[in-house]
Amino acid sequence: MPTDIEKMSTEIASSTSFDGYSLWRMQKDVNNQIFALERNQFPVPIELARLRAIIAKAREFRQSRGRSREANTSTRPPEIVTAQAAKSFDVFDFVDHYRALGGLRLAVDIGLAIKVRQWNKDTPEAEDFWTRGWTALDPGRQSDIARALLVRGRY
């Protein structure tokens, strides 16, 4: 019999309102609040601890669902490659999806070119999306994505 936390986590994981990035961001924000309370030696409210458990479980459900979906589609080419082959490929959609998955790469304008740098570690989903997508792109599209990252800013 699933617990309340498992029920709520499953509902959140299957909701279209929450993507991988928003779940990651919520978990990070809740953890920061808990760490601040502990650092100042205040008691941590049970609701906050419960919220952290719900979000962590929802991310776990979403990730396991993604792995099972990947196992079922191993014979098909990756979705991002087929989307990029289409004429309607939008670099901002690519960047927004990457950010939604928890991608943290940044674009840096170094004068003659815009370079993409990774100072922080991506979530596994974002890393996989970036690797599959970036390597399938020609240098012109890679440059367009770098500009889109620069325009979108940090987050």
Side-chain angles (χ1 to χ4, degrees):
M1 179 171 192
T3 64
D4 286 344
I5 290 177
E6 288 174 341
K7 287 179 190 176
M8 291 177 75
S9 299
T10 305
E11 289 175 21
I12 290 171
S14 60
S15 170
T16 58
S17 300
F18 300 103
D19 56 9
Y21 174 76
S22 61
L23 288 174
W24 173 82
R25 184 79 243 170
M26 281 190 289
Q27 186 175 23
K28 186 173 175 112
D29 291 343
V30 169
N31 283 337
N32 287 341
Q33 289 178 5
I34 290 173
F35 296 146
L37 288 170
E38 289 175 344
R39 185 174 45 251
N40 294 319
Q41 297 179 345
F42 289 114
V44 176
I46 191 70
E47 295 85 11
L48 200 55
R50 188 168 186 254
L51 180 61
R52 179 169 63 174
I54 290 169
I55 295 169
K57 200 70 145 161
R59 288 189 69 210
E60 182 181 311
F61 286 149
R62 186 172 283 249
Q63 288 171 353
S64 67
R65 188 180 68 198
R67 276 188 236 115
S68 66
R69 192 179 312 132
E70 286 176 13
N72 295 338
T73 60
S74 60
T75 57
R76 288 190 303 161
E79 293 173 17
I80 188 65
V81 174
T82 57
Q84 291 168 356
K87 298 233 186 255
S88 63
F89 174 70
D90 184 1
V91 293
F92 288 101
D93 286 344
F94 180 89
V95 169
D96 292 343
H97 186 71
Y98 168 70
R99 288 278 192 247
L101 293 171
L104 299 174
R105 284 179 171 84
L106 297 172
V108 180
D109 187 354
I110 57 172
L112 298 175
I114 297 173
K115 298 291 183 183
V116 176
R117 300 284 188 240
Q118 182 179 16
W119 286 290
N120 296 311
K121 188 173 179 165
D122 287 338
T123 62
E125 301 90 2
E127 182 68 33
D128 182 54
F129 179 82
W130 183 270
T131 303
R132 289 185 297 131
W134 185 262
T135 57
L137 292 169
D138 60 87
R141 289 253 172 99
Q142 288 178 349
S143 177
D144 292 342
I145 287 179
R147 278 196 285 293
L149 269 174
L150 189 62
V151 168
R152 285 290 194 241
R154 194 168 189 102
Y155 299 104

